[in-house]
C-alpha cells in the first residue's frame, strides 16, 4: 500500500535524522521498561512505565510528549495520511538493530486526542516490540487509559452519580477525554455497560453551539489547551549545532533527504526553550550567542 510505504520512508528519514543529530548532541537514554513478563496486562505495563519514568500515580502527566522525549523516545508531528483515518499516530522501532523508538503523530487540533494518541503509541512500543503482522489495538487502548489515569486514582475520584457533567472535573484534572474516561471506567467495572452506552449516546447527541459539531467528535473544552508538540529535535539542533532547526539544516545532516519532507518535521516542532529565551534576550544581553540554557517543560 502506497500510504504504508510513505510512512515507512518518513520513519526511516526521521530515525536517520535522530542519529545525525545524536552526533552533535546527546539524546536522552531510553528509559522505557522492556523486560516485561509475557503475561503482564496492558494496565500492569502502564504502571511499570509510570514507575520507570518517575511519574507519581497520584498526579496527572503534565506533558505526555515531553515526558516520552525525556525518556529517549523522539516524537515528530507531520501532516501525513494514515491508512486508517481513525488513527492519529503511528510508532516504529527503527535503526539497524531496531533499537530506536519513534512516534509520529498528525497535527490534530484536539489536545486530548493528541495526548491519548501518543500514549497509545507508547503502549505499542512497549507491548508489541518485535511483533509482526496485526497488533492488539485494544491492549494499546487499555495501556493509554491506565498510563494517563491510573485505575486506583480513577476509583478514588469516580463520582457517585455518573453524568457527563460530573465527569468533567476528571477530564480537566487528568487531561483526558470524556470518552476515554468512560471507556476506562467501564473496563474497571465502575459504570455498567448500559450506562456507558447512554453516556456515549449523549456525546453523540449534544453539539457545540458555536460549531454545530457533536461532542463525540469535538468534546467540550477541546480548545482550552494548546495541543502538545515535540521539541527534542529542536533542542538537539540548538544544543549541538547552535542553530535553529530548518529543512535545509536537516537535509544537510541526513545527506540529501528532500527539504519538503524535512519541512513536515520542522513545522511540527515546538521551538526549543533555549532558542525562545535567546531571542527574547538578544536586544538586552551581551552574552555570547552560543550560551544555551535548557529548561524542563
Amino acid at each position: 500500500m502506497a500510504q504504508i510505504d510513505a510512512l515507512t520512508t518518513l520513519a526511516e528519514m526521521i530515525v536517520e535524522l535522530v542519529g545525525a543529530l545524536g552526533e552533535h548532541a546527546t539524546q536522552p537514554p531510553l528509559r522505557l521498561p522492556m523486560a516485561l513478563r509475557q503475561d503482564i496486562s496492558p494496565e500492569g505495563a502502564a504502571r511499570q512505565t509510570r514507575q520507570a519514568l518517575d511519574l507519581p500515580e497520584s498526579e496527572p502527566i503534565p506533558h505526555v510528549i515531553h515526558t516520552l522525549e525525556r525518556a529517549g523516545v523522539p516524537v515528530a508531528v507531520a501532516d501525513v495520511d494514515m491508512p486508517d483515518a481513525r488513527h492519529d499516530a503511528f510508532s516504529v522501532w527503527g535503526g539497524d538493530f531496531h533499537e530506536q523508538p519513534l512516534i509520529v503523530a498528525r497535527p490534530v487540533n484536539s489536545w486530548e486526542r493528541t495526548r491519548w494518541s501518543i500514549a497509545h503509541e507508547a503502549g505499542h512500543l512497549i507491548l508489541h516490540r518485535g511483533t509482526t503482522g496485526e497488533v492488539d489495538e485494544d491492549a494499546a487502548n487499555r495501556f493509554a487509559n491506565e498510563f494517563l489515569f491510573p485505575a486506583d486514582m480513577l476509583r478514588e475520584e469516580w463520582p457517585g452519580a455518573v453524568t457527563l457533567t460530573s465527569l468533567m472535573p476528571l477530564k480537566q484534572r487528568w487531561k483526558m477525554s470524556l470518552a476515554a474516561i468512560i471507556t476506562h471506567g467501564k473496563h474497571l467495572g465502575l459504570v455498567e455497560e448500559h450506562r456507558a452506552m447512554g453516556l456515549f449516546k449523549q456525546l453523540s447527541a449534544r453539539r457545540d453551539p458555536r460549531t454545530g459539531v457533536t461532542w463525540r467528535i469535538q468534546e467540550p473544552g477541546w480548545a482550552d489547551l494548546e495541543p502538545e508538540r515535540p521539541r527534542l529535535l529542536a533542542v538537539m539542533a540548538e544544543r549541538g549545532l547552535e542553530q535553529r532547526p530548518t529543512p535545509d539544516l536537516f537535509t544537510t545532516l541526513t545527506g540529501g533527504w528532500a527539504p519538503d519532507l524535512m519541512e513536515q518535521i520542522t513545522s511540527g516542532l515546538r521551538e526549543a526553550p533555549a532558542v525562545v529565551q535567546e531571542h527574547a534576550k538578544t536586544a538586552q544581553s551581551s552574552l555570547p550567542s552560543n550560551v544555551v540554557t535548557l529548561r524542563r517543560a
Side-chain angles (χ1 to χ4, degrees):
M1 178 182 282
Q3 287 176 324
I4 297 295
D5 291 342
L7 295 179
T8 300
T9 298
L10 180 67
E12 290 173 351
M13 180 190 74
I14 299 172
V15 169
E16 186 175 335
L17 174 62
V18 171
L21 286 169
E23 296 178 4
H24 304 277
T26 302
Q27 180 182 341
L30 185 62
R31 295 168 58 204
L32 297 183
M34 292 289 101
L36 298 175
R37 302 190 321 270
Q38 288 189 344
D39 62 344
I40 194 169
S41 68
E43 291 80 10
R47 288 190 288 271
Q48 285 198 23
T49 303
R50 270 188 166 257
Q51 292 171 2
L53 304 187
D54 298 321
L55 298 170
E57 181 184 74
S58 60
E59 295 295 329
I61 301 173
H63 201 293
V64 175
I65 289 180
H66 294 175
T67 295
L68 290 172
E69 288 185 318
R70 287 195 294 268
V73 183
V75 178
V77 171
D79 191 7
V80 295
D81 292 329
M82 301 290 289
D84 188 332
R86 296 171 298 177
H87 293 172
D88 291 327
F90 72 96
S91 56
V92 298
W93 283 95
D96 292 339
F97 302 100
H98 303 288
E99 77 287 357
Q100 177 62 66
L102 172 69
I103 296 174
V104 181
R106 296 173 54 244
V108 298
N109 63 3
S110 168
W111 57 266
E112 65 263 62
R113 278 178 58 187
T114 297
R115 285 170 58 87
W116 192 89
S117 295
I118 297 297
H120 175 94
E121 293 306 323
H124 279 310
L125 289 173
I126 293 166
L127 295 169
H128 303 138
R129 186 178 187 182
T131 300
T132 58
E134 294 294 324
V135 293
D136 189 341
E137 293 292 339
D138 181 64
N141 293 345
R142 289 166 53 190
F143 177 98
N145 290 339
E146 181 70 17
F147 184 64
L148 293 174
F149 198 160
D152 286 348
M153 299 309 302
L154 183 63
R155 292 188 183 98
E156 183 176 316
E157 299 184 19
W158 192 256
V162 184
T163 65
L164 296 181
T165 299
S166 67
L167 291 175
M168 276 298 294
L170 276 63
K171 169 176 176 158
Q172 293 163 347
R173 168 165 156 74
W174 291 90
K175 299 181 181 179
M176 185 172 171
S177 71
L178 292 170
I181 292 172
I182 295 166
T183 299
H184 197 17
K186 182 180 70 172
H187 178 75
L188 295 174
L190 298 174
V191 60
E192 295 179 350
E193 177 78 26
H194 74 277
R195 181 56 182 152
M197 290 181 60
L199 292 170
F200 280 120
K201 287 180 180 178
Q202 290 180 41
L203 286 174
S204 298
R206 298 188 185 185
R207 296 179 180 274
D208 186 321
R210 297 167 298 176
T211 64
V213 177
T214 70
W215 286 9
R216 192 71 176 90
I217 297 174
Q218 193 175 82
E219 290 190 3
W222 69 272
D224 288 352
L225 300 172
E226 288 292 326
E228 295 182 5
R229 292 294 181 262
R231 72 181 191 195
L232 177 59
L233 300 182
V235 170
M236 292 178 73
E238 161 66 11
R239 188 172 186 177
L241 297 166
E242 300 178 3
Q243 296 185 53
R244 296 180 63 186
T246 65
D248 288 342
L249 172 64
F250 283 0
T251 293
T252 300
L253 285 172
T254 55
W257 284 98
D260 61 332
L261 288 177
M262 289 300 179
E263 170 64 28
Q264 292 189 57
I265 306 307
T266 57
S267 64
L269 289 173
R270 174 186 171 194
E271 199 169 50
V275 177
V276 175
Q277 198 171 52
E278 193 66 37
H279 291 172
K281 294 189 299 183
T282 298
Q284 304 173 6
S285 174
S286 59
L287 290 174
S289 61
N290 63 352
V291 173
V292 175
T293 302
L294 295 176
R295 297 182 182 275
R296 290 167 68 96

